[in-house]
Amino acid sequence: MTDMGQSDTVKADRVVVRTCPLCEAGCGLEISVRDTTVVRIRGDMNDVFSKGYICPKGSTLKQLHEDPDRLRQPLVKRDGKHVEVSWEEAWEHVERGFTQVIADHGRESIGAYLGNPGAHNLSAMTFNRVLLTAIGSRQRFSASSVDQVPKQVSAGFMFGTAISVPVPDLDRCDYLLMLGANPYASNGSLATAPDWPGRLEALRARGGRIIVVDPRRSRTAESADEWLAIRPGTDALLLAAMVTAVFEAQRAQLGDHLAGHVNGLAEVQEALAEFTPEAVARVVGIDAVTIRRIAVELCDAQRAAVYGRIGTTTVSFGTTASWLVDVLNAVTGNLDIVGGAMFPLPVASGPTTRGKPGVGKGFRTGRGKSRVRNFPEALGEFPAALMAEEIDTPGPGQIRAMVVVGGNPVLSTPNSEQLDKSFASLDFMVSVDIYLNETSRHADVILPAPSSLYRSHYDLALLNFALRSVANYSPPVFDLPPGVPDEWEILAKLAGIVQGLGTNVDPDTIDDISIRSLIESTVRDDTSVIAGRNPDEIYQALSSPENGSLRGPDRILDLLLRIGPFGEGFGANPAGASVAMLKQHPHGVDYGALIPRIPEVLRTPSGKIELAPAELIADLPRLRASLSADPDAMLLVGRRHLRSNNSWMHNIRVLVKGKPRCTLQIHPDDAARLGVVNGGAVRVTSRVGSVIAPAEITDAIRPRVVSLPHGWGHNLPDTRQSVAHEFAGVNSNVLTDHEAIDPLSGNAVLNGIPVAVTAESV
Ligand SMILES: Nc1nc2c(c(=O)[nH]1)N[C@H]1C(S)=C(S)[C@@H](COP(=O)(O)OP(=O)(O)OC[C@H]3O[C@@H](n4cnc5c(=O)[nH]c(N)nc54)[C@H](O)[C@@H]3O)O[C@H]1N2
Ligand SMILES: Nc1nc2c(c(=O)[nH]1)N[C@H]1C(S)=C(S)[C@@H](COP(=O)(O)OP(=O)(O)OC[C@H]3O[C@@H](n4cnc5c(=O)[nH]c(N)nc54)[C@H](O)[C@@H]3O)O[C@H]1N2
Ligand code: SF4
Ligand SMILES: [Mo]
């Protein structure tokens, strides 16, 4: 906030409101601007969802926009050094690179990795798909497999689509069991709502209770009624025991609203029966009495919800834990009920609102196997943990080129020292990024996405998980400087070039092909509001001057809004949602709180909730085997900080200054036993790597657990992030193991890593 007074001396000539693209909270920002300069950023008091709330990152969009290290010009690597070139020259390099790799090794040799900011980026949401199709290779990877894929897989099996993820109805809930989530730092995830802390405090203020399960006493645990210090990686066992406890207490109750809509209740009961509270207590580290009590409290509460996040998904039993969260919601009568776990109803058309209500093709994984490890695909991609072996292992289909869009896998994915070497061995690599960082330093060509303030925005992905049906459209704050392509134009042009259309390919051509195919599939869908309509007429309606001559992501968004559940419907509902309509409502439109959606939301072939998916039941012997784990092994977990954002906001001084955050948290008992002193150097060693970090001795962590945040380690050479370099920290993913993955989803195990900890003598 210190730079605010300074900026205030400059008078703004206009105020623009916009949704913050930095995290899933999607807060409304009020941006005061003079000419081409940001004067000040603060929370938009009138935003229908965030009502003025922002976190310390939101206002730093100004610093990000102004950061001299942020790339403005394409870079190509010449004699090992990155030099600035014109866009024309960059595109020629791209064409030459792709042409050579395709000639030498075929299209299957081009891999792609899509990073997390793409989920907050309308360009990426609408054109990454186009790029992947154009590349035409199955070697697809993304940050999803170091994050939420397990939840999507379990939701897919249970409810029919990978987007059918129930969210806790925070604002109407009065008992919340939260596992492996720290919204005081993260602002919430897979449950989109601004000001999670305020919503949690309101829950308690109305007499509700919050129980936090976490090996660390996080800020969230601190503010809760109860902290259960679980052993890392054992949430699936804990949840299984809670389900069993509910059955044993004869309290299992789906509720009248689910009657006739659920398959597999008896099967779940039987399959989980062996996981009693007593059987799991030793390994989970939580006593049986407490497990039983919480299970019954979930049944007793008026309106309760169970919610699990990163600590439950980035573990060996990620899919199992994700499944059991919703089983527990169901058997305690809290699934699809106001104040319980509910299905969002997004304003833009999506997988849970398209197609015939109540039934569908269902969901499966394994429609292809990875080349080296024969690992099944999930959500059309392979685990990020497999990227290195797919690059390193010779043979047909070996990856020889990579396209990375808005991702930093060299810091974010397991065994990153290995991946760093693999990237260095590629024949060709393109990064679409805003920085020259640990990953993009390997790229032969870096194509800079423009600052987000030059782009329009709508949270197409995250609003699928929102706690209310809201819609906010943000026009660009500034016009793009002449000659600078928008990010979607970069992606469309890349797609055109990799397809062989040459460097003169016009992004508008690619855009037209893409929107036309989307329109055609929509008019062919007989459940759509424009079923049977003339595709040309729809195309004209979207593109006409009266509709703002929309193109690119805005035009795709307009189609999705207009055919969505609240949509304008191309005449069917004139007051309904569209880009034009949202432009009239700069603070957003709120269509209300969530409503029960069973059975309409289901897309399973049976038209029922599948409480006992065969894949999950078949994996239970592995869960049983985990009961013999050593409860004294030293395990590493991660953590997040409010002023950090994965690996990439560390070049903004106001966010990184102050107390160093990349510390190894360790319990005083462990520190004493191992001779570790506060602030002293500690070596942490896993099967695959070793790092040295400063110790932070704290009783806010369970004994035999240590914690290191991820996204640090900015000391690699040949990057251009001067501030991040100064506050380098160490990379926790040097320690995470590329072989440790959840077999059901392919998600990397990033929490519960076996490590040895030793004091480092200096
Ligand atoms: N050990 C451990 N590892 C983890 C996690 C953990 O909890 N523990 N968390 C995991 C999770 S949940 C995630 S999502 C991943 C994230 O993994 P990644 O997505 O690979 O990493 P990010 O740090 O988000 O990197 C974002 C990249 O996008 C660039 N970027 C920023 N804005 C834009 C833009 O507008 N356009 C473009 N083209 N690029 C942009 C940044 O410069 C940066 O290079 O990390 C995972 N890694
Ligand atoms: N400020 C900030 N906000 C962010 C991000 C960021 O980097 N910084 N990243 C964004 C992204 S990409 C995501 S995916 C979300 C994630 O959002 P959250 O899921 O809320 O992520 P974390 O804050 O890492 O909280 C995870 C918690 O799980 C605990 N944990 C670790 N292992 C286990 C375990 O085995 N069991 C249990 N029960 N708990 C465990 C950790 O101690 C930690 O407190 O945050 C988003 N928001
Ligand atoms: S909470 Fe997230 S969306 Fe809100 S201001 Fe902070 S970074 Fe932006
Ligand atoms: Mo994430």
Side-chain angles (χ1 to χ4, degrees):
M1 296 284 128
T2 46
D3 53 329
M4 223 143 125
Q6 226 176 350
S7 314
D8 269 349
T9 56
V10 183
K11 260 217 147 352
D13 53 21
R14 61 192 173 104
V15 172
V16 194
V17 293
R18 166 173 201 86
T19 307
C20 176
L22 294 175
C23 89
E24 297 177 43
C27 302
L29 304 177
E30 185 193 280
I31 307 184
S32 310
V33 172
R34 182 172 184 86
D35 301 325
T36 57
T37 313
V38 176
V39 176
R40 178 175 73 179
I41 300 182
R42 58 180 184 183
D44 173 12
M45 301 303 292
N46 298 313
D47 183 277
V48 293
F49 205 7
S50 64
K51 303 195 163 81
Y53 175 84
I54 56 168
C55 85
K57 293 185 296 302
S59 67
T60 66
L61 278 185
K62 172 178 162 65
Q63 286 86 339
L64 186 61
H65 183 72
E66 292 167 357
D67 185 351
D69 285 338
R70 190 173 57 74
L71 304 178
R72 268 90 170 159
Q73 202 60 40
L75 302 180
V76 302
K77 202 187 258 182
R78 222 171 258 154
D79 305 323
K81 279 249 166 302
H82 280 102
V83 294
E84 302 202 338
V85 297
S86 66
W87 277 96
E88 213 178 356
E89 205 179 328
W91 291 124
E92 279 160 17
H93 269 79
V94 168
E95 190 192 30
R96 233 174 294 140
F98 280 142
T99 309
Q100 191 68 54
V101 169
I102 292 171
D104 292 349
H105 308 285
R107 290 188 169 274
E108 201 56 32
S109 73
I110 308 179
Y113 175 89
L114 309 177
N116 170 272
H120 308 262
N121 177 336
L122 188 56
S123 286
M125 283 312 299
T126 48
F127 281 86
N128 273 344
R129 188 180 44 83
V130 176
L131 175 59
L132 292 179
T133 309
I135 293 173
S137 153
R138 289 170 308 145
Q139 297 281 21
R140 298 174 177 181
F141 307 88
S142 85
S144 290
S145 57
V146 282
D147 187 347
Q148 84 292 350
V149 170
K151 189 70 204 180
Q152 295 194 263
V153 168
S154 79
F157 287 148
M158 296 178 80
F159 310 116
T161 92
I163 304 294
S164 312
V165 174
V167 298
D169 187 16
L170 285 186
D171 299 340
R172 295 178 290 183
C173 169
D174 47 33
Y175 190 98
L176 180 64
L177 172 63
M178 196 163 17
L179 308 99
N182 184 14
Y184 275 78
S186 69
N187 280 300
S189 182
L190 282 193
T192 302
D195 194 12
W196 258 79
R199 289 170 201 272
L200 294 179
E201 279 146 31
L203 193 164
R204 293 191 67 216
R206 57 178 183 265
R209 280 173 61 76
I210 300 175
I211 316 294
V212 172
V213 178
D214 196 310
R216 297 185 315 113
R217 195 174 65 237
S218 62
R219 256 305 295 290
T220 305
E222 194 101 41
S223 315
D225 294 275
E226 207 169 328
W227 168 43
L228 303 181
I230 193 170
R231 282 281 293 166
T234 65
D235 295 76
L237 287 171
L238 172 67
L239 289 159
M242 285 185 176
V243 172
T244 296
V246 169
F247 280 112
E248 281 182 359
Q250 302 197 320
R251 295 293 304 272
Q253 254 282 11
L254 295 170
D256 293 343
H257 65 294
L258 294 189
H261 300 304
V262 178
N263 277 342
L265 181 64
E267 213 181 330
V268 156
Q269 175 177 11
E270 196 191 313
L272 298 180
E274 63 180 296
F275 299 100
T276 60
E278 289 70 20
V280 306
R282 186 189 69 100
V283 173
V284 167
I286 300 170
D287 64 87
V289 173
T290 304
I291 297 174
R292 285 185 193 283
R293 174 174 55 81
I294 305 279
V296 170
E297 282 176 9
L298 278 167
C299 302
D300 286 343
Q302 267 287 321
R303 302 182 290 191
V306 185
Y307 165 72
R309 209 35 205 105
I310 281 290
T312 61
T313 57
T314 54
V315 290
S316 182
F317 294 98
T319 310
T320 314
S322 298
W323 163 56
L324 293 174
V325 162
D326 289 328
V327 169
L328 191 53
N329 275 318
V331 301
T332 55
N334 292 305
L335 182 64
D336 196 44
I337 201 159
V338 167
M342 302 189 77
F343 294 93
L345 179 60
V347 178
S349 166
T352 74
T353 58
R354 265 200 291 273
K356 191 168 175 216
V359 67
K361 283 206 297 277
F363 172 87
R364 61 198 190 94
T365 58
R367 289 163 303 175
K369 298 276 171 67
S370 75
R371 185 180 64 98
V372 178
R373 214 185 297 188
N374 208 31
F375 197 90
E377 141 299 331
L379 276 72
E381 50 184 65
F382 294 122
L386 272 51
M387 244 184 313
E389 71 193 29
E390 290 294 334
I391 297 173
D392 298 345
T393 314
Q398 180 185 10
I399 296 179
R400 296 310 311 148
M402 280 296 297
V403 179
V404 177
V405 182
N408 193 5
V410 167
L411 291 192
S412 303
T413 68
N415 195 353
S416 27
E417 274 175 355
Q418 178 192 36
L419 185 65
D420 188 47
K421 288 196 196 90
S422 307
F423 274 173
S425 76
L426 290 167
D427 292 345
F428 186 61
M429 176 166 159
V430 180
S431 275
V432 181
D433 209 284
I434 57 171
Y435 285 114
L436 172 48
N437 64 13
E438 297 75 17
T439 297
S440 60
R441 75 195 178 112
H442 293 297
D444 295 279
V445 187
I446 308 178
L447 304 168
S451 151
S452 64
L453 301 185
Y454 289 120
R455 313 199 303 246
S456 59
H457 183 66
Y458 182 91
D459 262 316
L460 207 47
L462 281 330
L463 287 174
N464 283 312
F465 310 105
L467 300 198
R468 298 182 70 84
S469 297
V470 294
N472 290 65
Y473 172 82
S474 315
V477 177
F478 302 116
D479 292 334
L480 273 166
V484 174
D486 199 344
E487 183 155 8
W488 74 267
E489 294 175 304
I490 297 174
L491 298 171
K493 190 145 176 155
L494 259 181
I497 293 176
V498 76
Q499 247 175 330
L501 301 176
T503 57
N504 288 324
V505 61
D506 185 349
D508 284 320
T509 311
I510 307 291
D511 179 30
D512 263 349
I513 297 170
S514 153
I515 188 80
R516 281 193 185 273
S517 96
L518 214 61
I519 293 171
E520 257 149 47
S521 67
T522 311
V523 297
R524 272 201 310 270
D525 170 4
D526 57 14
T527 65
S528 137
V529 63
I530 53 169
R533 296 269 289 265
N534 178 352
D536 286 331
E537 173 221 342
I538 302 295
Y539 176 87
Q540 292 307 332
L542 290 168
S543 319
S544 70
E546 301 80 69
N547 197 44
S549 305
L550 297 182
R551 54 198 277 271
D554 286 0
R555 185 166 57 180
I556 297 171
L557 172 65
D558 195 36
L559 174 65
L560 297 178
L561 288 170
R562 289 165 79 171
I563 62 171
F566 304 94
E568 179 271 350
F570 292 87
N573 174 25
S578 67
V579 167
M581 182 268 208
L582 291 182
K583 280 181 179 166
Q584 305 291 315
H585 296 88
H587 307 289
V589 177
D590 181 1
Y591 290 97
L594 302 184
I595 47 169
R597 288 192 64 188
I598 297 285
E600 154 278 313
V601 72
L602 297 172
R603 294 292 184 276
T604 49
S606 61
K608 304 269 176 76
I609 296 171
E610 299 295 351
L611 217 50
E615 294 80 355
L616 284 147
I617 300 291
D619 190 52
L620 286 175
R622 192 171 65 93
L623 189 64
R624 181 189 311 133
S626 77
L627 283 170
S628 58
D630 171 11
D632 289 329
M634 187 66 109
L635 299 176
L636 173 75
V637 299
R639 66 180 188 270
R640 281 174 167 74
H641 292 277
L642 186 58
R643 288 167 182 271
S644 168
N645 197 13
N646 294 323
S647 77
W648 72 276
M649 299 275 293
H650 300 158
N651 210 50
I652 295 172
R653 193 170 294 275
V654 290
L655 293 179
V656 287
K657 68 178 190 196
K659 211 169 80 179
R661 283 190 285 272
C662 189
T663 57
L664 184 84
Q665 292 183 337
I666 183 167
H667 190 273
D669 294 352
D670 293 323
R673 190 181 70 253
L674 299 166
V676 167
V677 297
N678 203 32
V682 189
R683 179 175 289 279
V684 188
T685 307
S686 74
R687 190 186 77 86
V688 298
S690 174
V691 300
I692 297 174
E696 177 187 340
I697 299 177
T698 169
D699 68 358
I701 191 162
R702 191 188 160 90
R704 308 278 174 167
V705 180
V706 288
S707 165
L708 194 62
H710 74 284
W712 299 89
H714 303 295
N715 47 358
L716 298 178
D718 306 320
T719 60
R720 202 179 289 174
Q721 290 198 296
S722 46
V723 178
H725 208 265
E726 216 180 298
F727 298 85
V730 298
N731 179 5
S732 67
N733 282 316
V734 165
L735 301 170
T736 52
D737 189 336
H738 64 287
E739 292 204 341
I741 46 185
D742 167 19
L744 290 168
S745 68
N747 206 89
V749 176
L750 304 173
N751 283 295
I753 313 297
V755 289
V757 175
T758 50
E760 185 80 353
S761 44
V762 251

